Amino acid sequence: MRLPTQRSRRRSTAAAALVAATVLGIFLPSTAQAQLTGSAGSSGGGVSGTQAAPRAALPGWREIFVDDFTTDAPIGTFANDECNNPGKIVYTGTENTRWRTYPECYLDTYNKNPYRADEVVSAHDGVLDYYLHDVDGRRAGANMSPVINGSSQAQVYGRYSARIKVSHPAITGYRLAMLLWPDSEGWPEEGEINFPEGPLTGPIYGFHHYAEDGADANSQALSDVDTSTYADWRVVTIEWTPSVVRFMLDDKVLLESTRGIPDTAMRWQLQLESSLYPALGGGNFLVDWVTVHAWDGA
């Protein structure tokens, strides 16, 4: 497991301008300010619109991990205060799915706030719930990762999909990065695949960091930018094969990148953390289901 502080880096000028354009929720609906008090709170409240994870066979892929979060686990279950034991299993799902989380001593990217899965994450009503709020006076997020192959979180090539939403559209001061990170910690030369990444207010986009000799933090492709939000359920998917990195939002392709395809094992991190921008209100980031597939050579 890497320390999250290693992921602090400069973005390209275009990417920095894109992120700056969303400060304080330029893409927020006009009703957002009225909804600042609409956070579902620590329990997440009732959750509507959930669905069973898709199980249909996909040509070229082999399903290896599915979690519908039907095993309830209250806040506190996901705690890991063992800095020297990042491999601790903090959650076991109904189908013996297993999850790890960054320990509390790991710090987030921009503000160096501790990850606090012990005060943030729960499972209820068929969702994995990140309750984003201040803990001990600091904005707290969490970074979860599924164990997909024996005791390993990593594989070479794969398809990663999740159905996600926010409890209300004005969760500012927090950002999402669902990312594939090199298991060897060989960044940036071994690449990085981030989708979606950015503020929870939207827009929705991602980055493919090229795996190539001499790569730096700005050796990357920025996806198309979708100006919609996470206010309704969205399905986000990364497809990583030897020939292409593809990002899909619902049925829309936002990126097909063929340069610098990573070819070493990577692990999937579902990272919610504090951003550089002010927090007008917290709330809940909800994951309805996740699926992981291995590439079958198609």
Side-chain angles (χ1 to χ4, degrees):
M1 301 285 285
R2 67 179 174 89
L3 287 175
T5 51
Q6 291 178 251
R7 196 170 169 267
S8 299
R9 57 183 186 275
R10 294 180 297 110
R11 287 293 189 201
S12 66
T13 302
L18 170 64
V19 175
T22 67
V23 66
L24 297 183
I26 287 175
F27 290 92
L28 290 178
S30 60
T31 57
Q33 294 301 317
Q35 293 177 291
L36 280 171
T37 58
S39 168
S42 60
S43 69
V47 178
S48 62
T50 57
Q51 299 176 354
R55 299 282 184 142
L58 297 173
W61 301 100
R62 174 171 46 86
E63 182 184 276
I64 59 173
F65 185 97
V66 180
D67 206 328
D68 276 303
F69 306 109
T70 52
T71 297
D72 288 353
I75 281 185
T77 305
F78 294 80
N80 185 1
D81 59 3
E82 302 174 32
C83 192
N84 294 322
N85 186 21
K88 177 182 177 181
I89 300 298
V90 295
Y91 176 72
T92 300
T94 303
E95 298 181 55
N96 201 36
T97 51
R98 294 173 297 153
W99 290 80
R100 293 176 173 137
T101 189
Y102 280 169
E104 295 170 30
C105 61
Y106 283 25
L107 306 179
D108 70 13
T109 306
Y110 294 103
N111 296 303
K112 305 301 181 281
N113 289 337
Y115 285 105
R116 293 299 303 270
D118 60 316
E119 295 284 350
V120 168
V121 183
S122 62
H124 60 88
D125 299 306
V127 298
L128 185 70
D129 183 345
Y130 291 71
Y131 171 40
L132 302 170
H133 66 295
D134 282 3
V135 175
D136 298 331
R138 304 176 75 173
R139 276 176 276 169
N143 195 322
M144 301 291 298
S145 183
V147 179
I148 61 172
N149 182 17
S151 62
S152 176
Q153 297 152 247
Q155 64 176 348
V156 180
Y157 311 126
R159 186 181 195 273
Y160 302 82
S161 192
R163 188 169 186 256
I164 60 176
K165 75 182 297 289
V166 291
S167 58
H168 65 93
I171 304 177
T172 60
Y174 295 90
R175 67 191 312 277
L176 167 67
M178 300 178 75
L179 62 102
L180 293 173
W181 181 264
D183 204 44
S184 70
E185 308 295 337
W187 186 87
E189 289 81 6
E190 292 184 17
E192 179 184 358
I193 301 172
N194 300 355
F195 180 71
E197 178 174 4
L200 291 178
T201 54
I204 301 173
Y205 55 91
F207 297 88
H208 167 211
H209 294 266
Y210 305 133
E212 53 192 20
D213 292 341
D216 61 25
N218 293 318
S219 302
Q220 63 187 359
L222 169 64
S223 76
D224 292 342
V225 178
D226 188 290
T227 57
S228 61
T229 71
Y230 304 103
D232 297 315
W233 288 110
R234 314 305 300 270
V235 175
V236 294
T237 302
I238 296 170
E239 289 187 349
W240 166 37
T241 78
S243 60
V244 67
V245 169
R246 182 179 293 112
F247 298 161
M248 291 179 286
L249 175 64
D250 301 322
D251 295 322
K252 179 181 179 181
V253 176
L254 297 186
L255 176 77
E256 286 191 334
S257 177
T258 58
R259 173 182 165 184
I261 307 297
D263 61 3
T264 58
M266 306 184 92
R267 61 179 183 267
W268 195 28
Q269 303 285 161
L270 281 62
Q271 176 174 295
L272 276 294
E273 61 182 353
S274 63
S275 74
L276 289 174
Y277 304 127
L280 301 181
N284 299 72
F285 176 82
L286 306 173
V287 184
D288 183 15
W289 50 255
V290 301
T291 63
V292 181
H293 292 71
W295 184 68
D296 239 4

